[in-house]
Amino acid sequence: MPTPTAPHESRPGRLSGLRRAAVDSVAGLPRQFWWLWTSTLINRLGAFVATFLALYLTVERGYSASYAGLVGALYGLGGVISSVGAGVLTDRLGRRPTMLIAQLSTSVSVALLGFMEDPVAIAVVAGVVGMATNASRPAVQAMMADIVAPEDRVRAYSLNYWAINLGFAVSSTAAGLIAQHGYLALFLGESTLVLTCALVVFCKLPESRPAADTPAGPQDPAADGTSTAPVSMLTVLRDGRFMTVVGLNLLLALLFQQAYVSMPVSMGRDGFSSADFGAVIAVNGVLIVLLQIPVTRFIEHRSPATLLVGSALLAGYGFGLTALAGSVAMYALAVAVWTLGEIINSPTQMGLVVRLSPVHGRGRYQGMYALSWSIASLTAPLIGGTVIDHYGANTLWAGCAAVGTVAALGYGLLLRSLPATSPTTTASASSAPSASSTPSTPSASSASSESAPATGEPVT
């Protein structure tokens, strides 16, 4: 018979296990990574405008869902233009200069957007904001791959994604409340925080671009070899496996973009306020903050194919569930379902992107990957706004379920022909010591960072 103190005696052990898990999640990463992580967090704490732009245009300004979709599409078009260009700049000019140019441009253009009155001016400046905002993405992802050891990259991307959503959880809730007292404060607040982010990059982050004659090391295979041949955008386009990953990510990005364009419009038409939408969309950030690291540890040794297929189905049918939402609670439940898919997909897919990117072409490969998100930002608002206006929101949500199913099938077919690990990686894993004494935290983990999987930042 157990003694009365037995339950209490087990608690220190549980707390010790949680403490060890937390330490394992952050140990062994370089200081430069943590400054990059900090800049990401500051940036996302001020990510007000993209989240509330559709609601601002339809509720505050009184424009139609179609016009909001058009403005959102121009925002996405700006990202399409800048993604590839920023990828080339990241490889040629450097990671740090590209980030600084992008962040300073974002700070100025976001503040300007808050003062625009004419609908044409709003649309044009929104396109500039989209261009500036998305320009930093290839540089951030390339710098992270530069400064973090291969065996720690999935863990690093997971922590960075966690920072993105920690900032998003705070900013989306705060923005919903701030918007009730005037949207201009949102624009100026984001401008200020992005400027702060640029100061962190300027003061704390040195350039990390590899020297032109630096070969890919034994633990850092360039795609499936160690060639240092020049990489052009044509090289990226001819990489069939990588472009398949880009295409599948585009399908999922089209789904996730509906959360920031179609869902707020749908909720507004149903009579919900900006504060209601802020609370609902905050569920996404809060769940990622709470679950990203533990879920990543749990799925670390699971099959990447199973993870990517399952995450696509969760995303598709999570958005499909929105068709049944008639209350804030039901909207929140739908968000929780597709958020779980996002949590599983993100670190798994990001590892795949890094694995398939040659060292001296990281900027261009990351730019092409970012392009899938930018194209989604361009087309998702047009699709969402048009479908809602002409066929109703329920048709859109049913279509999301279908898209998720198609993406799941695509991942299943791709990963059947993709080796779980590359020979170079396997050899290095057995002969080289790990950068840290603890195992990687993240998702499809080793298989993901060096051998298989992955997604990128969102969002956002």
Side-chain angles (χ1 to χ4, degrees):
M1 177 177 180
T3 64
T5 59
H8 300 282
E9 291 172 352
S10 65
R11 287 176 189 168
R14 289 198 297 269
L15 290 175
S16 177
L18 291 173
R19 192 176 296 112
R20 282 197 303 272
V23 171
D24 289 349
S25 298
V26 301
L29 295 170
R31 178 176 298 181
Q32 190 176 354
F33 164 79
W34 289 111
W35 282 115
L36 188 60
W37 184 91
T38 300
S39 72
T40 297
L41 178 61
I42 294 171
N43 196 352
R44 295 305 296 175
L45 284 171
F48 304 138
V49 173
T51 304
F52 281 81
L53 185 58
L55 207 58
Y56 166 71
L57 293 174
T58 56
V59 175
E60 177 75 6
R61 294 286 187 172
Y63 294 115
S64 68
S66 295
Y67 175 77
L70 174 62
V71 172
L74 289 173
Y75 180 96
L77 178 60
V80 169
I81 295 170
S82 68
S83 293
V84 175
V88 174
L89 282 179
T90 296
D91 284 338
R92 290 188 175 179
L93 187 61
R95 284 62 159 140
R96 183 172 179 263
T98 302
M99 280 190 281
L100 287 172
I101 292 170
Q103 290 162 357
L104 292 173
S105 300
T106 299
S107 179
V108 173
S109 59
V110 163
L112 184 62
L113 182 59
F115 292 98
M116 293 296 100
E117 298 285 344
D118 182 78
V120 175
I122 290 173
V124 171
V125 177
V128 174
V129 172
M131 186 182 301
T133 300
N134 285 277
S136 63
R137 186 177 295 168
V140 170
Q141 301 294 350
M143 178 176 279
M144 203 169 297
D146 294 340
I147 64 180
V148 176
E151 63 271 21
D152 292 328
R153 281 185 190 142
V154 173
R155 179 158 58 105
Y157 280 115
S158 184
L159 288 168
N160 191 66
Y161 196 67
W162 184 81
I164 289 170
N165 287 280
L166 174 61
F168 177 72
V170 174
S171 68
S172 59
T173 303
L177 299 174
I178 295 171
Q180 293 182 320
H181 302 284
Y183 277 87
L184 180 60
L186 296 182
F187 292 92
L188 297 180
E190 176 164 345
S191 176
T192 300
L193 286 172
V194 174
L195 182 59
T196 303
C197 180
L199 290 174
V200 171
V201 172
F202 180 77
C203 296
K204 297 296 184 180
L205 287 174
E207 180 55 57
S208 66
R209 181 179 52 167
D213 58 349
T214 302
Q219 290 188 4
D220 199 2
D224 283 321
T226 57
S227 171
T228 58
V231 177
S232 67
M233 290 310 300
L234 187 59
T235 306
V236 182
L237 291 171
R238 287 174 173 171
D239 189 335
R241 285 190 306 179
F242 181 79
M243 292 306 298
T244 300
V245 172
V246 171
L248 291 173
N249 186 70
L250 172 60
L251 293 180
L252 291 184
L254 286 170
L255 297 182
F256 292 128
Q257 287 295 321
Q258 301 306 323
Y260 312 110
V261 179
S262 300
M263 193 167 74
V265 171
S266 179
M267 290 186 70
R269 289 190 168 192
D270 288 342
F272 295 101
S273 68
S274 59
D276 291 330
F277 172 66
V280 167
I281 200 62
V283 171
N284 172 256
V286 169
L287 287 179
I288 292 176
V289 168
L290 295 177
L291 300 180
Q292 182 72 63
I293 301 304
V295 168
T296 289
R297 293 181 64 85
F298 177 75
I299 66 178
E300 180 174 357
H301 301 296
R302 270 64 181 181
S303 163
T306 301
L307 296 175
L308 290 171
V309 168
S311 65
L313 292 174
L314 285 169
Y317 287 93
F319 278 100
L321 187 61
T322 308
L324 305 178
S327 65
V328 169
M330 280 300 297
Y331 273 108
L333 176 61
V335 170
V337 174
W338 59 257
T339 295
L340 181 58
E342 184 181 1
I343 289 172
I344 295 170
N345 182 278
S346 176
T348 307
Q349 178 140 294
M350 198 63 237
L352 181 57
V353 170
V354 174
R355 176 201 171 188
L356 297 178
S357 305
V359 171
H360 299 289
R362 280 175 181 156
R364 289 173 173 85
Y365 270 70
Q366 291 290 350
M368 183 59 68
Y369 178 68
L371 181 63
S372 64
W373 288 99
S374 299
I375 291 175
S377 296
L378 170 63
T379 56
L382 291 174
I383 294 171
T386 301
V387 172
I388 288 175
D389 278 346
H390 293 89
Y391 304 102
N394 287 349
T395 301
L396 176 66
W397 306 130
C400 288
V403 170
T405 302
V406 171
L409 291 172
Y411 279 123
L413 293 173
L414 172 68
L415 296 185
R416 284 176 59 187
S417 61
L418 190 67
T421 57
S422 66
T424 306
T425 304
T426 304
S428 66
S430 62
S431 62
S434 172
S436 66
S437 59
T438 58
S440 295
T441 325
S443 91
S445 143
S446 317
S448 197
S449 135
E450 291 296 278
S451 45
T455 319
E457 251 176 282
V459 139
T460 84

